[in-house]
Amino acid sequence: MAAARERRPTIADVARLAGVSPSAVSFALNGRPGLAEATKSRILAAAAELGWRPSRPAQALSRGRAGALGLVLARETDAIGADPFFPAFIAGVESVISPRGDSLVLHVTAPGDEAAAYHRLAADRRVDGVLLTDMRVEDPRPELTAGLGLPAVVVGDPDCAQGLCAVSLDDRPAFTAAVARLAELGHRRIAHVAGPPEFRHALRRRESWEEAVRDAGLTPGPVLPGGFTADGGAAATRELLALGAGERPTAIVYANDLSATAGLAVAHQLGLSVPEELSVVGYDDTPLAAYTHPPLASARADAQGWGAAAARALDEVITSGRADDVDLAPAELLPRASMGPAPRALPQPRRTPTPPSTSTSTSTSTSEPTVRRDPC
């Protein structure tokens, strides 16, 4: 009896209750013309009474669709869990597809297995299209997905979309505003903690910082990799603050909030007051940025809105075969209390016990690495 009660209502059940044929039920539930309004109303009332819901597999089969979008991330799982961008981005995607009952198929894979993941998605017809994030220099994925016949949208720089629709956001205004404000506050040594150099958005943020520093009439200060991680940001910050008095920065602009928050903690551990002795600027405006001590200056990039826009663009590509590029509102600087006037005399960090760094992504060299500007 329990099994009978738990059985999912079918179209045949609705037809019996409404006193019509199963084909009439199908017409009514799919909004097709040809039924009298009274008959349609009776069928819909019967479906509601029985608690009938459409079968996603059956709908997908009838429409020739999987009812899902795909997202393949070639990152370490712990790095994805710690990076606040992806939960917000995924929430934006879900805000578009969940109300209609579609789903997001997420694959986390090693870079060497990435191509195989796309081949499986295409061969199994598990998704109707894919979102390409973390675009890299000379990225093979636009060509790969085109060859597989898998609709795709690039989340990022349209210059490397290779003819695919790109949903992009210009982060240069935020870096320009941050550096200009720091220069107005008297800072002359403004360092940068960069993201992974293989990512195009990390290179673009570094280039934006460098251009803004030069536009302010200053020489770009030290650059160290932070890898978009807390460990990397902390290690890079310790290295920058260990420089001699003539090289040590009075302000650090980070490529994301995760590395900036770790850098802020390191400054406190070393006994430096922020912003009186060091100014700190992040990027992404994550929810915790406004609640650090002091509140972290950052750039609002609206990851959730980005995800929603990317999902809508991919819907259009799936339906129409193409979509125009989408330019989102540029990133906006939020100059919170972690930015302040440059110190009159450069303070000497106090020696305090700090936990050993587990980062393997940060170089020990203090020389500025060469920026790659490879063509796509």
Side-chain angles (χ1 to χ4, degrees):
M1 293 298 293
R5 285 196 301 270
E6 293 173 2
R7 185 177 69 85
R8 181 174 183 153
T10 66
I11 283 181
D13 296 327
V14 176
R16 279 193 295 272
L17 182 60
V20 297
S21 68
S23 61
V25 175
S26 179
F27 270 58
L29 296 177
N30 287 290
R32 297 171 62 185
L35 292 176
E37 283 300 319
T39 302
K40 182 177 180 180
S41 297
R42 190 166 73 253
I43 292 171
L44 295 179
E49 180 179 340
L50 291 173
W52 179 88
R53 297 187 309 278
S55 165
R56 295 301 299 166
Q59 280 194 329
L61 184 63
S62 66
R63 294 184 306 172
R65 297 267 186 96
L69 304 184
L71 177 61
V72 178
L73 299 179
R75 290 197 185 192
E76 296 295 333
T77 52
D78 56 349
I80 294 171
D83 189 339
F85 173 84
F86 282 107
F89 178 83
I90 290 171
V93 174
E94 291 284 359
S95 72
V96 173
I97 66 176
S98 290
R100 65 185 188 226
D102 284 359
S103 58
L104 179 67
V105 176
L106 176 64
H107 271 290
V108 179
T109 183
D113 299 328
E114 186 178 33
Y118 287 103
H119 278 279
R120 286 194 300 271
L121 289 175
D124 298 343
R125 299 183 179 180
R126 295 183 59 193
V127 299
D128 299 312
V130 290
L131 299 165
L132 305 182
T133 63
D134 283 342
M135 296 304 291
R136 300 184 292 270
V137 174
E138 299 180 353
D139 201 307
R141 290 176 294 167
E143 182 178 358
L144 171 63
T145 53
L148 292 171
L150 193 58
V153 162
V154 166
V155 180
D157 193 347
D159 292 340
C160 282
Q162 301 178 35
L164 298 181
C165 168
V167 182
S168 61
L169 180 149
D170 190 358
D171 42 28
R172 289 172 296 182
F175 283 91
T176 299
V179 172
R181 178 57 181 155
L182 289 169
E184 289 173 3
L185 291 169
H187 293 274
R188 295 296 176 262
R189 289 190 294 280
I190 304 172
H192 181 54
V193 173
E198 67 270 21
F199 290 162
R200 287 196 58 82
H201 57 293
L203 285 176
R204 189 176 61 247
R205 291 175 191 180
R206 176 187 165 155
E207 290 167 359
S208 299
W209 160 82
E210 182 177 344
E211 182 180 344
V213 171
R214 294 192 189 281
D215 287 346
L218 305 174
T219 300
V223 180
L224 287 178
F228 283 155
T229 68
D231 280 348
T237 304
R238 289 191 188 98
E239 192 167 342
L240 288 170
L241 296 181
L243 295 174
E247 299 178 84
R248 185 147 47 87
T250 61
I252 305 175
V253 177
Y254 294 78
N256 74 345
D257 278 358
L258 189 59
S259 56
T261 302
L264 189 65
V266 166
H268 291 320
Q269 289 170 0
L270 294 174
L272 295 178
S273 177
V274 178
E276 290 79 10
E277 297 173 307
L278 177 72
S279 286
V280 173
V281 182
Y283 184 96
D284 281 334
D285 188 35
T286 54
L288 288 178
Y291 298 97
T292 59
H293 178 69
L296 179 65
S298 188
R300 178 174 293 151
D302 189 13
Q304 186 168 339
W306 207 340
R312 288 192 292 267
L314 185 52
D315 279 347
E316 187 173 349
V317 171
I318 293 167
T319 302
S320 306
R322 66 171 302 278
D324 293 332
D325 289 346
V326 179
D327 294 322
L328 302 176
E332 173 191 4
L333 175 68
L334 301 174
R336 298 192 180 100
S338 65
M339 297 175 73
R344 293 184 179 180
L346 200 62
Q348 183 66 33
R350 271 75 78 187
R351 292 186 178 275
T352 58
T354 57
S357 171
T358 60
S359 172
T360 59
S361 63
T362 302
S363 166
T364 57
S365 170
T366 59
S367 61
E368 181 176 347
T370 301
V371 178
R372 290 185 62 192
R373 294 184 173 84
D374 298 354
C376 301

